[in-house]
């Protein structure tokens, strides 16, 4: 017998599924590494034995039950036969860190419960209705609930939006199970066509349960991620779904990953999510964030996550579809690698450290980091040779770093020179990243009107005005000192950074290159 549970006000299930009082609605909650467990449905397995299903809820920092946050419900993959909600814990943690309530839903599967795919759809719809009905306790906006999932879980997410019927008997169907957005990872999107998935198991319901055959005007906007070499769920079905959605005026994005097979979107190294092994995972999370922001689920992502995305797409390509990418680093003695003048330590300079970071992040991309810096030069001299010595390299991105020496020519002359270089890049559709100065031990850094501070502000203002990239080197140095570090350890001489100082700049630069 079905029982769709309802959360009493201010009461949630505890982490291990034991009921208990939650914190008061107005109390803020911290984002936890482990989810809170909420029981949402009592039903039965194929033998009639009782089954209780749960949601695993990841809450953002500062959460309160009185919030109206955007949320997403993820459904795991496993061919409707197996799998666990833990599959989408990494994505859920990432979205909770960005301010959403992220939920991983359990549903009955054949191996554990002996139940067919039809019951999987019923459970998915129950989960969506439960979240919407209990929005006031879960701290979510009932109008901003997305559904997501991978493989068979992607089918369930799409089914909550598109498949009619297959509702649990006795459930209040006046509560909508339809999500506001769909985020689908190599989804089972066609269960009827010859190259579809699962038609034999679905029998007479194969067409009725096939999302691509239920596409209609007004359906939720969708983003799909799919590998071109998926041997389980061929990408042709995802392409058909996108075409059908566009034909009825719906919003549908399809992001194809060249050469990737089924399940490629899962993190390769779950023990260390930040690992470079998880580049595809991070890329997809960033794209999800952009999609969510476009539809009002999240604030716009920082410019650094999107500015170089077209270039990052090139950097991710494998041979023979890749190409050489040129990063041109323009400036004075710091990017030129001067340490204790006249000693030059090129290998310790931020352009070379950036090059190593790019090689690690994009292992299939041939990259050139071309340094056009000259020791002792200011921005006027740099602007005078910009056309012949910088743009001649056909750069894919240019960085500019002159403020340390621009103190000699003043703000007005420096601004004119920087504008000249910026506009030369933008006229050619070349992205540009500006750098504030690294530190100088002679500067009066506690004085906001010190020339170094003034030139740093001018660079920040130019980046904001033109909507281009900014690496705030001076702020990174300030943060190191504020955190208890010594300025001297960042410097090799009064105006040149040490290896550690260059590492701070290179890390900040690498943040502009999406994984």
């Amino acid at each position: 017998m079905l029982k769709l549970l309802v959360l009493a006000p201010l009461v949630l299930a505890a982490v291990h599924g034991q009921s208990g009082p939650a914190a008061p609605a107005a109390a803020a909650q911290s984002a936890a590494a482990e989810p809170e467990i909420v029981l949402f449905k009592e039903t039965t397995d194929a033998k009639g034995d009782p089954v209780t299903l749960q949601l695993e809820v990841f809450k953002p920092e500062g959460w309160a039950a009185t919030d109206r946050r955007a949320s997403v419900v993820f459904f795991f993959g496993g061919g409707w036969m197996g799998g666990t909600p833990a599959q989408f814990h990494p994505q859920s943690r990432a979205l909770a860190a960005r301010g959403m309530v992220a939920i991983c839903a359990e549903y009955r599967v054949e191996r554990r419960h002996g139940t067919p795919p039809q019951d999987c759809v019923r459970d998915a719809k129950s989960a969506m209705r439960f979240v919407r009905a209990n929005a006031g306790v879960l701290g979510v906006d009932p109008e901003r609930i997305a559904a997501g999932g991978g493989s068979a879980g992607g089918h369930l997410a799409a089914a909550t939006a598109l498949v009619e019927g297959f509702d649990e008997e006795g459930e209040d169907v006046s509560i909508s199970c339809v999500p506001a957005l769909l985020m689908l990872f190599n989804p089972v999107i066609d269960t009827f066509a010859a190259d579809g998935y699962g038609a034999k198991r679905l029998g007479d319901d194969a067409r009725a349960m096939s999302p691509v055959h239920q596409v209609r005007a007004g359906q939720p906007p969708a983003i799909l991620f799919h590998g071109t070499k998926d041997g389980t769920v061929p990408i042709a079905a995802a392409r058909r779904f996108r075409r059908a959605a566009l034909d009825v005026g719906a919003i549908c994005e399809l992001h194809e990953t060249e050469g990737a097979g089924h399940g490629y979107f899962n993190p390769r190294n779950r023990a260390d999510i930040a690992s470079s092994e998880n580049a595809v995972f991070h890329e997809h999370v960033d794209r999800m964030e952009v999609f969510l922001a476009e539809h009002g689920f999240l604030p716009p992502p920082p410019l650094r996550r999107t500015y170089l995305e077209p270039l990052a797409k090139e950097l991710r390509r494998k041979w023979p579809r890749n190409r050489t990418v040129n990063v041109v680093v323009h400036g004075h003695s710091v990017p030129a690698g001067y340490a204790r003048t006249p000693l030059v330590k090129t290998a310790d300079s931020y352009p070379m450290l950036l090059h190593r970071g790019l090689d690690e992040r994009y292992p299939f991309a041939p990259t050139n980091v071309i340094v056009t810096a000259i020791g002792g030069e200011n921005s006027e001299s740099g602007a005078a040779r910009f056309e012949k010595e910088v743009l001649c390299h056909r750069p894919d991105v240019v960085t500019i770093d002159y403020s340390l020496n621009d103190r000699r020519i003043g703000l007005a002359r420096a601004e004119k020179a920087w504008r000249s270089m910026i506009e030369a890049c933008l006229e050619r559709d070349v992205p540009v990243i500006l750098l504030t100065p690294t530190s100088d031990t002679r500067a009066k850094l506690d004085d906001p009107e010190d020339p170094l501070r003034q030139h740093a502000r001018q660079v920040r203002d130019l980046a904001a005005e033109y909507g281009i990239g900014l690496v705030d080197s001076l702020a990174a140095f300030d943060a190191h000192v504020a955190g208890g570090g010594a300025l001297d350890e960042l410097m090799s001489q009064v105006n040149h950074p040490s290896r550690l100082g260059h590492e701070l700049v290179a890390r900040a630069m690498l943040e502009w290159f999406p994984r």
Side-chain angles (χ1 to χ4, degrees), residues 7-30:
L7 291 179
L10 311 184
V11 176
L12 296 176
V15 171
H16 298 291
Q18 298 173 350
S19 297
Q29 302 288 311
S30 298

Side-chain angles (χ1 to χ4, degrees), residues 97-334:
R98 287 154 168 79
M100 292 180 66
V101 173
I103 300 168
C104 297
E106 186 181 21
Y107 58 90
R108 288 169 291 174
V109 293
E110 183 174 319
R111 290 196 187 105
R112 289 195 292 275
H113 306 104
T115 47
Q118 288 85 343
D119 282 343
C120 300
V121 173
R122 292 183 178 97
D123 293 344
K125 291 190 173 188
S126 296
M128 294 299 293
R129 289 190 173 109
F130 178 89
V131 172
R132 182 162 279 121
N134 290 280
V137 182
L138 293 168
V140 305
D141 182 346
E143 301 303 318
R144 291 191 298 158
I145 303 171
S151 192
H155 170 263
L156 300 184
T160 66
L162 296 171
V163 172
E164 297 288 344
F166 303 97
D167 299 296
E168 194 68 77
E169 186 178 353
E171 196 161 288
D172 184 359
V173 296
S174 69
I175 301 172
S176 175
C177 65
V178 177
L181 297 177
L182 289 172
M183 300 189 295
L184 311 177
F185 298 83
N186 51 232
V188 173
I189 207 74
D190 189 335
T191 59
F192 184 71
D195 64 347
Y197 180 92
K200 289 183 179 179
R201 292 177 63 198
L202 298 179
D204 293 341
D205 293 328
R207 185 182 182 92
M209 290 179 65
S210 178
V212 73
H213 291 90
Q214 312 304 324
V215 167
R216 59 178 177 271
Q219 70 182 43
I223 184 169
L224 283 70
F225 301 92
H226 218 110
T228 61
K229 298 298 183 181
D230 192 325
T232 303
V233 181
I235 194 170
R239 290 170 177 164
R240 287 198 297 273
F241 182 83
R242 178 178 179 272
R243 283 196 300 271
L246 296 179
D247 285 346
V248 297
I251 296 170
C252 186
E253 300 179 20
L254 172 59
H255 295 275
E256 301 185 9
T257 299
E258 188 68 28
H262 197 66
Y264 77 100
F265 63 90
N266 293 305
R268 292 186 177 183
N269 185 346
R270 292 176 74 94
D272 180 12
I273 291 297
S275 168
S276 60
E277 297 176 73
N278 298 328
V280 171
F281 165 80
H282 290 292
E283 172 195 342
H284 285 8
V285 168
D286 287 345
R287 288 184 176 179
M288 274 198 298
E289 182 179 5
V290 172
F291 178 74
L292 290 163
E294 289 173 346
H295 295 283
F297 273 53
L298 286 176
L303 181 65
R304 69 176 180 274
R305 288 194 186 148
T306 59
Y307 186 53
L308 295 184
E309 178 56 38
L311 178 57
K313 186 175 182 180
E314 295 294 322
L315 288 163
R316 296 183 195 111
R317 294 187 188 277
K318 298 179 182 179
W319 183 88
R321 300 178 67 245
N322 60 354
R323 66 173 178 84
T324 299
V325 169
N326 293 329
V327 178
V328 179
V329 180
H330 197 47
H332 47 46
S333 56
V334 173

